[in-house]
Amino acid sequence: MSALSTLSHPLQQRLLAELKPGESLVWVGQPNPGRYMKSAFAIWLFFVPWTAFSLFWIASASGFEWPRFSDGWSFFPLFGVPFLLIGLAGLGSPFWLRRKARWMIYGITTRRAIAIEGIKAIKVKSYQASSIVDIERTEHPDGSGDLMLRKESYQDSDGDRQTRSQGFFAIDEVRRVEQLIETLIQGNRA
C-alpha cells in the first residue's frame, strides 16, 4: 500500500472521512503534478497566439499610443480586454491544473476505488467494483500513466455525442494500481 502518511494531514482526514464502516484502504496515491499539468499544454499552444493577437488588437485599436484622458478617450480598445483575459486564463491553465493535482487523492479500498478532488468544495467519485467493466491503462516509459475506470457518454452543446473518461490520472506505478483494481473486481465477484 502506498502510505497514507505521505499525504498532508487535511488530505488524510478527507480520505478517512469517506471510508464506510468495515472498509479499509489498500492503496493511496495522488497525481504527479508535473505530469498532470502536461495535459493542458496542447490547448496552451492555442492561447499563445490568441493572447498575442488580443494584445495587438488592443494596441492597434488605440492607435499604438497610451491613452490621453485630457482630450477624451475612446472606449473602443476596451472591447479587446475580455479576449485578453480569456487568453491569460488559458495561458495559466497548466499551472491551475498543477495546483489542482496537489489537492486530489486517489484510493483503493476493500470495496471500491475513490477519487477525491477540490480545495474547499469537495467532489468525490466512487467506482464500485461491480461498475468497473473496462479498464484502460496508458503507461509511459517511467511507469506512470492514466488508469481509466469508466467512460461516460454525454451530448455537447451542439448535440454531438461525446465520451469522457474517468479514473486515476498521472499516477505512478500505473500497472501495479491496475492489478490492485483487478484484484478488487475479482474479490467482488467471488
Side-chain angles (χ1 to χ4, degrees), residues 33 36-38 40-41 43-44 89-99:
Y36 192 74
M37 74 184 265
K38 284 183 181 180
F41 275 113
I43 195 146
W44 186 81
L91 289 175
S93 63
F95 307 102
W96 287 108
L97 283 180
R98 184 179 182 91
R99 182 173 183 254

Side-chain angles (χ1 to χ4, degrees), residues 1-166:
M1 174 174 121
S2 295
L4 182 64
S5 61
T6 60
L7 298 176
S8 66
H9 185 69
L11 293 180
Q12 286 179 22
Q13 295 304 315
R14 186 176 291 176
L15 180 60
L16 293 174
E18 292 299 323
L19 295 181
K20 296 176 180 174
E23 189 175 32
S24 59
L25 288 167
V26 175
W27 176 85
V28 176
Q30 284 189 282
N32 177 316
R35 181 150 321 263
Y36 192 74
M37 74 184 265
K38 284 183 181 180
S39 65
F41 275 113
I43 195 146
W44 186 81
L45 293 173
F46 168 79
F47 282 109
V48 170
W50 173 286
T51 306
F53 181 77
S54 298
L55 284 170
F56 175 77
W57 189 91
I58 291 170
S60 63
S62 65
F64 294 99
E65 295 180 1
W66 288 104
R68 285 182 245 136
F69 298 106
S70 59
D71 57 345
W73 187 62
S74 170
F75 286 101
F76 185 63
L78 295 179
F79 286 110
V81 172
F83 297 99
L84 177 62
L85 294 175
I86 290 168
L88 293 174
L91 289 175
S93 63
F95 307 102
W96 287 108
L97 283 180
R98 184 179 182 91
R99 182 173 183 254
K100 178 182 175 183
R102 290 190 177 119
W103 286 92
M104 293 176 73
I105 315 162
Y106 299 135
I108 301 173
T109 72
T110 51
R111 296 182 188 167
R112 61 191 168 132
I114 307 171
I116 304 171
E117 63 181 69
I119 297 173
K120 292 184 182 178
I122 300 169
K123 181 178 183 180
V124 180
K125 293 179 190 169
S126 288
Y127 306 97
Q128 300 300 327
S130 59
S131 70
I132 302 172
V133 180
D134 295 323
I135 300 174
E136 183 180 320
R137 174 175 38 96
T138 304
E139 187 173 356
H140 302 287
D142 65 355
S144 68
D146 304 330
L147 195 61
M148 301 303 103
L149 303 176
R150 181 184 304 151
K151 290 191 183 212
E152 177 182 68
S153 294
Y154 66 97
Q155 286 186 338
D156 64 12
S157 59
D158 296 334
D160 298 328
R161 199 134 193 81
Q162 301 290 331
T163 304
R164 179 180 339 177
S165 296
Q166 297 177 347

